[in-house]
């Protein structure tokens, strides 16, 4: 693994919950970020269709400790990667798997999590340099599908369901081989206070530790990242 992959892998092992703050505003994001960090989150994403997203990314990066990774979501173009990097972003998250965006993110020294819904898309994203796969929407990729994917996309390549994830279904996805989870409206909605977010975050972190604390699934076993058929 290269340094980008190693840093992300280490962070995901600590807590693979990714906070998606869609709609957050720069003046409130630092307080929400601190609430998430204090609860145990170590990856926070601001989608680019939020108000002043680059300002929020910069505010998070300036406010939070270095072991918290900050990135952008809903990244649709290769050109946007440079803007995210300039704002201090470390991760590019996409709803799709455009190889040009993946290559731009990696060339800029950032991790990249493209959205994939089929194995064909997954392998194309891996070939372009993805170091995490966002299974999106997770409602269309239930645990039995994820388990089948794990037979051919082996650890430690991260498979991260996004969409419809709640504390109650984390254990089922964990048993199927999920490496982490992207959490959107179940964790944060525009207008939520830092205290609101902290309460919901605590429930997710408790579910994470229950599912992963005692015995990690094969999705987080050490080794060389591979995808084989």
């Amino acid at each position: 693994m290269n340094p980008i992959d190693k840093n992300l892998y280490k962070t995901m092992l600590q807590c693979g919950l990714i906070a998606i703050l869609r709609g957050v505003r720069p003046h409130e994001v630092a307080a929400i970020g601190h609430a998430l960090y204090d609860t145990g989150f170590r990856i926070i994403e601001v989608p680019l269709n939020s108000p002043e997203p680059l300002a929020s990314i910069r505010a998070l990066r300036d406010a939070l400790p270095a072991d918290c990774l900050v990135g952008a979501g809903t990244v649709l173009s290769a050109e946007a990667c440079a803007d995210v990097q300039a704002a201090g972003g470390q991760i590019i998250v996409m709803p799709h798997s455009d190889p040009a965006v993946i290559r731009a993110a990696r060339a800029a020294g950032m991790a990249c999590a493209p959205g994939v819904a089929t194995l064909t898309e997954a392998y194309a994203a891996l070939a372009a340099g993805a170091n995490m796969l966002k299974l999106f929407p997770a409602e269309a990729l239930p645990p039995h599908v994820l388990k089948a994917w794990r037979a051919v996309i082996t650890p430690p390549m991260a498979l991260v369901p996004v969409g419809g994830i709640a504390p109650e279904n984390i254990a089922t996805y964990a048993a199927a081989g999920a490496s982490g989870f992207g959490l959107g409206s179940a964790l944060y909605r525009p207008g939520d206070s830092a205290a609101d977010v902290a309460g919901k975050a605590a429930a997710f972190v408790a579910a994470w530790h229950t599912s992963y604390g005692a015995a990690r699934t094969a999705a987080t076993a050490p080794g060389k990242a591979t995808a084989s058929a």
Side-chain angles (χ1 to χ4, degrees), residues 18-37:
I18 302 171
I20 303 171
L21 303 183
R22 190 179 309 279
V24 75
R25 296 180 181 273
H27 72 272
E28 62 187 349
V29 75
I32 292 170
H34 279 297
L36 288 165
Y37 185 88

Side-chain angles (χ1 to χ4, degrees), residues 59-163:
L60 285 171
R61 185 63 283 151
D62 290 345
L64 297 176
D67 67 335
C68 185
L69 303 180
V70 176
T74 318
V75 180
L76 303 179
S77 70
E79 293 75 17
C81 293
D83 295 332
V84 173
Q85 182 195 36
Q90 300 156 286
I91 304 175
I92 293 293
V93 184
M94 308 155 56
H96 63 328
S97 57
D98 184 344
V101 180
I102 298 170
R103 289 192 292 265
R106 298 311 300 265
M110 294 182 288
C112 188
V116 297
T118 68
L119 281 173
T120 298
E121 292 176 341
Y123 274 90
L126 292 172
N131 55 336
M132 178 189 292
L133 295 176
K134 170 184 172 180
L135 276 59
F136 178 77
E139 295 95 333
L141 297 163
H144 69 273
V145 174
L146 171 59
K147 184 176 180 180
W149 282 37
R150 265 296 175 215
V152 292
I153 300 180
T154 57
M157 178 53 63
L159 298 180
V160 179
V162 179

